[in-house]
């Protein structure tokens, strides 16, 4: 419980620098609409929230309140007042949350009742029953029950003055009561609160788009009530709210930038997610012709939690960006997926996984690189007021921008040091709900053009009966495109661990990492390792389709995407159609890995879907076929499968019949759970571990000869080498352009450092002769986990 004295309540409820009872600024009659088309348009109306009693509560334990440092609240109040003065000096009309809540309550019964109702909804009376007793044993009287009732709570709320009601709203109190044996009937044994400690960051609870104001969905549970309070304020002002992002969607305003009628930027990662972005696009809440989704999959660091912590639009085609984030080689790089609205009115993916700096430059922006030291002092989190007016908190960053020829305007530096202790700066602490849009020449040009009709693809599952022409063998084993899911929320899978021999070290690894750095930092280690693999693939020309892994999906092993889906070009399938296959999974908690958003993405290319997942519900227990149990010889049209509870024969036979493959059934030893741990096949090479297969020497010799019949070199490895992941290697075929601009292809063999070091030198030499390039990456943590 928080001990709140009457003195502290009075002091913190009123700013010593501005009379809290002052009337709210009059309505802005010249505002055409409450929208925001471009960060460079003149800001007209801004909503702030001055530090209050809730921030005093937050200052008691800053870290637990999502603050960066301890807070001097009186100094923070002064900083915030100076910020408001700067906004008003630059022609903005400023409203604060408290002013809006108090507006008209003294002379309008409707306003008073609305404020009472909000305070009532945020107040709770809770009866604490002593341990070992029931409510009945307390023998509550009728009057006791009244004192716990909504009627009594309503009577108390109605007696409060307006400032009391505001304090109730900002602190969200719960009164814990027990039956008293003397004095009053009940006694308050403790008070608990859910103070709105971060309401000062009015950027986050909503976004203002070309279409209007959309309420957000905040990721932290202690911030969730902020949305309803801000929605109340916006509606009280008569500002239309056109939508609200529901769970599991996440969206915070710091991840949104308006960049004209043709483009907006939305960041996803630590605080916002793709489910939130999909909701905005599917419900036409953005109003732009394109949406640039900036993906933070490799970093997810609190210092760069939002888009506006590392970038900002500072003028027409002028953007400041944290320099260490730029470039494909940056370990904290951001990637952009661009969605374009087609003639059907829907958004469709038009570009994917473009490095952020490259994408921004493609839009014509000049990038001003900001040193990390400046960014850590909130150099990127200034506020663009439009018409060339910028407010900044960091002098060195302001000078950097001022020396940039592409910037034209005025930069004012505001002292905000004490407010920044709460983990935010000027842009975080302001919501611009109206800007006067000035149509640019680019927008006029685009408006005159007719959008290209992009027809959405559909997935038809299950598939209709297939025709029966024979399987056509492919000229190569290698793919030029790969699907990857980042391990942002990896967890150890208790269902799969017992019979997965390669996870034997996983528990010890997780325990060691968790004890040393904590679970969150353990995931960061895994993500950085994954990021290096991604970087290496992109660097050699592989087209990577990258997805994140959000906690709400409940897919603890989503990073191992190979098991639930496979894709096949028309030449490979019996039906001669581009096909994806969805596989039945043995482990029930891995079935959520079959994500609709990934299936939709793949369906743009692979328009036919063979959905085998209903086998999970078959009589006699789940029938499974995880793709890791299949190893394809695409050159010969042969599929090797290892039968186990992860691969049942009936499903494997159905799969082979659907695709037109010839099935070769193998029996694994207990040392493997998937065949791809013991067998890997490339275009001109193959690796097999006889010790992992319960087959006769004669059958293994025959199998080797079959693999060699199409010109392959076959390497036999030991069980020890298999345990070093020497058969967990893959051949890819990147597509690049030569000096003449002609498209060329090559073969790249990808493996981990552990696997590379596990091969004998002569084996590496043989592999080098079979491919153009071998790349190996550090992957020891992830490969040990499964």
């Amino acid at each position: 419980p928080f001990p709140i004295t009457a003195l502290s309540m009075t002091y913190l409820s009123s700013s010593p620098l501005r009379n809290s009872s002052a009337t709210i600024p009059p309505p802005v009659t010249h505002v055409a609409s409450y929208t925001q088309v471009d960060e460079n348009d003149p800001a007209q109306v801004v909503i702030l929230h001055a530090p209050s009693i809730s921030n005093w509560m937050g200052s008691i334990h800053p870290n637990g309140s999502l603050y960066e440092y301890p807070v001097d609240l009186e100094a923070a109040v002064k900083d915030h007042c100076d910020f408001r003065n700067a906004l008003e000096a630059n022609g903005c009309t400023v409203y604060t949350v408290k002013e809006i809540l108090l507006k008209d309550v003294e002379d309008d019964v409707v306003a008073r009742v609305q404020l009472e109702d909000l305070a009532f909804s945020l107040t709770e009376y809770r009866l604490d029953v002593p341990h070992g007793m029931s409510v009945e044993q307390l023998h509550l009287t009728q009057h006791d029950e009244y004192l716990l009732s909504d009627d009594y709570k309503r009577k108390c709320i109605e007696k409060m003055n307006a400032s009391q009601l505001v304090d109730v709203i900002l602190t969200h109190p719960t009164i814990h009561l027990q039956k008293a044996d003397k004095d009053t009937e009940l006694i308050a044994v403790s008070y608990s609160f859910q103070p709105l400690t971060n309401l000062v960051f009015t950027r986050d609870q909503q976004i203002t788009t070309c279409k209007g104001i959309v309420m957000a969905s905040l990721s932290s549970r202690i911030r969730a009530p902020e949305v309803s309070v801000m929605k109340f304020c916006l509606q009280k002002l008569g500002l239309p709210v056109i939508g609200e992002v529901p769970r599991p969607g996440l969206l915070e305003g710091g991840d949104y930038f308006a960049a004209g009628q043709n483009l907006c930027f939305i960041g996803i990662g630590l605080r916002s997610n793709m489910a939130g972005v999909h909701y905005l696009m599917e419900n036409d809440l953005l109003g732009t012709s394109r949406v640039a989704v900036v993906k933070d999959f490799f970093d997810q660091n609190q210092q760069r939690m939002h888009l506006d912590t590392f970038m900002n639009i500072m003028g027409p085609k002028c953007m400041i960006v944290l320099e260490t984030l730029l470039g494909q080689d940056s370990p904290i790089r951001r990637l952009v997926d661009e969605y374009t609205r087609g003639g059907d009115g829907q958004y469709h993916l038009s570009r994917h996984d473009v490095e952020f700096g490259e994408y921004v430059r493609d839009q014509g922006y000049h990038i001003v690189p900001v040193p990390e030291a400046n960014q850590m002092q909130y150099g990127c989190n200034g506020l663009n007021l439009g018409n060339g007016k910028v407010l900044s908190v960091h002098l060195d960053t302001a000078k950097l921008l001022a020396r940039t020829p592409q910037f034209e305007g005025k930069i004012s530096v505001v002292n905000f040091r004490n407010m920044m202790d709460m983990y935010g700066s000027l842009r975080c602490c302001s919501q611009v709900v109206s800007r006067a849009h000035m149509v640019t020449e680019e927008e006029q040009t685009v408006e005159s053009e007719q959008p290209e009709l992009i027809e959405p693809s559909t997935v038809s599952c299950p598939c209709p009966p297939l025709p029966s022409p024979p399987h056509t063998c492919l000229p190569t084993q290698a793919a030029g495109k790969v699907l990857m899911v980042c391990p942002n929320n990896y967890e150890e899978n208790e269902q799969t661990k017992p019979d997965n021999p390669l996870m034997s070290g996983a528990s010890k690894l997780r325990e060691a990492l968790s004890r040393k750095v904590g679970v969150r930092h353990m995931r960061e280690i895994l993500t950085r390792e994954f990021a290096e693999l991604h970087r290496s693939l992109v660097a050699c020309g592989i087209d990577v389709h990258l997805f994140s892994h959000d906690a709400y999906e409940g897919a603890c092993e989503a990073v191992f995407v190979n098991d639930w889906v496979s894709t096949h070009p028309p030449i490979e399938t019996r039906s001669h159609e581009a096909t994806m296959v969805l596989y039945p999974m043995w482990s029930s908690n891995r079935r959520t890995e079959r994500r609709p958003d990934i299936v939709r993405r793949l369906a743009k290319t692979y328009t036919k879907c063979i959905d085998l997942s209903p086998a999970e519900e078959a009589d006699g227990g789940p029938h499974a076929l995880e793709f890791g149990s299949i190893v394809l010889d695409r050159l010969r049209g042969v599929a090797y499968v290892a039968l186990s509870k992860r691969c049942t024969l009936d499903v494997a036979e159905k799969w082979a019949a659907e695709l037109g493959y010839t099935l070769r059934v193998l029996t694994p030893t207990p040392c493997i759970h998937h065949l791809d741990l013991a067998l890997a096949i490339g275009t001109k090479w193959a690796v097999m571990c006889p010790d992992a297969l319960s087959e006769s020497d004669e059958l293994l010799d025959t199998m080797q000869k079959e693999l060699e019949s199409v010109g392959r070199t076959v390497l036999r490895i030991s069980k020890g080498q298999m345990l070093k992941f020497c058969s967990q290697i893959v051949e890819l075929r990147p597509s690049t352009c030569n000096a003449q601009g002609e498209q060329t292809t090559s073969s790249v063999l990808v493996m981990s450092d552990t696997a590379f070091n596990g091969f004998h030198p002569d084996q590496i030499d043989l592999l080098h002769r079979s491919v153009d390039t071998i790349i190996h990456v550090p992957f020891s943590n992830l490969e040990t986990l499964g």
Side-chain angles (χ1 to χ4, degrees), residues 101 115-125 153 157 165-175 192-194 196 224-226 228-229 232:
L101 292 173
L115 190 66
E116 288 178 0
D117 288 348
L118 181 60
F120 179 87
S121 70
L122 295 173
T123 303
E124 182 180 357
Y125 291 169
K153 181 169 66 172
I157 291 290
L165 294 175
V166 170
D167 287 338
V168 167
I169 291 165
L170 296 179
T171 58
H172 196 170
T174 297
I175 295 84
S192 60
F193 301 85
Q194 292 179 273
L196 304 185
E226 297 174 23
S228 60
V229 173
F232 177 92

Side-chain angles (χ1 to χ4, degrees), residues 220-286:
S220 173
R221 61 187 178 89
I222 72 170
R223 296 198 65 186
E226 297 174 23
V227 176
S228 60
V229 173
M230 285 299 295
K231 186 176 182 179
F232 177 92
C233 292
L234 294 168
Q235 292 175 334
K236 186 171 183 178
L237 287 177
L239 277 61
V241 174
I242 63 172
E244 183 168 348
V245 175
R247 299 280 181 168
L250 297 177
L251 176 71
E252 299 194 358
D255 277 319
Y256 177 81
F257 274 90
Q261 291 178 336
N262 304 324
L263 181 66
C264 67
F265 292 88
I266 306 179
I268 62 172
L270 198 59
R271 297 297 182 88
S272 303
N273 66 13
M274 199 61 210
V277 178
H278 279 310
Y279 183 84
L280 295 172
M281 294 193 294
E282 290 166 2
N283 291 276
D284 194 22
L285 298 175
L286 296 168

Side-chain angles (χ1 to χ4, degrees), residues 491-544:
E491 291 182 10
E492 188 177 28
N493 190 337
E494 295 297 331
Q495 284 190 17
T496 60
K497 183 174 63 174
D499 64 345
N500 182 344
L502 295 183
M503 288 182 69
S504 59
S507 295
K508 292 181 180 179
L509 170 68
R510 184 175 65 85
E511 182 181 348
L513 287 175
S514 300
R515 185 170 57 251
K516 183 177 180 180
V517 298
V519 173
R520 182 173 65 182
H521 290 100
M522 178 194 75
R523 289 174 178 165
E524 290 177 3
I525 291 170
L526 300 179
T527 300
R528 291 294 175 90
E529 197 172 73
F530 182 91
E532 177 57 23
L533 172 62
H534 174 274
R535 186 202 65 78
S536 299
L537 295 179
V538 172
C540 68
I542 299 298
D543 183 8
V544 179

Side-chain angles (χ1 to χ4, degrees), residues 629 640-644 647 664-672 674-675 678 689-696 699-700 703:
S629 297
Y640 296 93
V641 298
L643 298 183
S644 69
C647 175
R664 292 283 192 271
V665 179
L666 302 173
T667 304
T669 65
C671 69
I672 63 171
H674 280 156
L675 183 59
C689 178
D691 293 340
L693 302 171
S694 299
E695 312 294 347
S696 66
L699 192 148
L700 291 171
M703 179 177 167

Side-chain angles (χ1 to χ4, degrees), residues 194-486:
Q194 292 179 273
L196 304 185
T197 55
N198 288 266
L199 189 61
V200 289
F201 304 125
T202 54
R203 174 67 52 174
D204 292 330
Q205 303 86 7
Q206 61 283 301
I207 62 173
T208 306
T209 74
C210 289
K211 301 292 289 288
I213 299 171
V214 182
M215 301 313 297
S217 176
L218 304 181
S219 66
S220 173
R221 61 187 178 89
I222 72 170
R223 296 198 65 186
E226 297 174 23
V227 176
S228 60
V229 173
M230 285 299 295
K231 186 176 182 179
F232 177 92
C233 292
L234 294 168
Q235 292 175 334
K236 186 171 183 178
L237 287 177
L239 277 61
V241 174
I242 63 172
E244 183 168 348
V245 175
R247 299 280 181 168
L250 297 177
L251 176 71
E252 299 194 358
D255 277 319
Y256 177 81
F257 274 90
Q261 291 178 336
N262 304 324
L263 181 66
C264 67
F265 292 88
I266 306 179
I268 62 172
L270 198 59
R271 297 297 182 88
S272 303
N273 66 13
M274 199 61 210
V277 178
H278 279 310
Y279 183 84
L280 295 172
M281 294 193 294
E282 290 166 2
N283 291 276
D284 194 22
L285 298 175
L286 296 168
T288 55
S289 58
R290 292 178 297 140
V291 179
V293 180
V294 184
K295 304 190 297 188
D296 169 19
F297 292 171
F298 303 140
D299 185 22
Q300 299 206 351
N301 186 288
Q302 180 74 2
Q303 298 292 342
R304 297 170 289 278
M305 71 183 101
H306 289 142
L307 206 55
D308 64 6
T309 62
F310 63 82
M311 64 152 282
N312 210 328
I313 297 173
M314 293 283 94
K317 301 303 179 183
C318 182
M319 182 182 291
I320 59 174
V321 182
L322 171 63
E323 62 181 358
T324 57
L325 178 142
L326 294 168
Q328 195 63 250
D329 291 336
S330 168
I332 61 171
R333 61 192 175 278
R334 304 299 195 263
L335 304 176
V336 178
D337 285 352
E338 181 190 79
Y339 291 81
T340 301
R341 188 162 54 190
D344 60 356
Q346 300 298 309
Y347 288 95
H348 304 279
L349 185 69
S350 48
R351 300 178 71 185
H352 76 91
D353 297 296
V354 185
E355 188 272 322
F356 179 70
E358 176 187 344
Y359 181 85
V360 166
R361 293 185 182 96
D362 287 348
Q363 309 314 307
Y365 283 95
H366 172 77
I367 293 178
V368 182
V370 174
E372 184 175 4
N374 293 23
Q375 183 267 340
M376 293 290 287
Q377 295 298 317
Y378 298 90
C380 294
N381 199 251
L383 183 61
N384 183 353
L385 298 177
N387 271 345
K389 299 177 182 178
V390 171
L391 299 182
S392 176
V393 298
H394 192 249
L395 181 59
D396 288 348
T397 304
K399 289 181 176 180
L400 191 66
L401 183 61
R403 293 189 176 100
T404 302
Q406 289 77 7
F407 175 79
E408 297 179 359
K410 172 187 175 182
I411 308 171
S412 301
V413 176
V414 178
N415 180 15
F416 215 56
R417 177 62 266 170
N418 295 286
M419 282 295 301
M420 286 153 50
D421 287 339
M422 296 186 216
Y423 235 138
S425 188
L426 300 181
R427 194 173 191 275
C428 298
C429 291
S430 57
Q431 178 61 220
V432 180
V433 293
S434 179
R435 290 182 185 264
H437 181 53
M438 299 175 291
V439 179
T440 64
E441 292 183 5
E442 178 186 0
E443 290 171 344
Q444 291 174 336
T445 301
V446 172
E447 285 178 357
S448 66
E449 299 174 353
Q450 292 296 320
E452 178 186 358
L453 177 62
I454 304 176
E455 295 292 345
S457 301
T458 59
V459 183
S460 178
C461 299
C463 295
L466 297 171
S468 55
H471 176 278
T472 303
C473 299
L474 292 179
T476 178
Q477 283 282 123
K481 300 179 180 180
V482 299
L483 169 67
M484 298 178 72
V485 177
C486 198

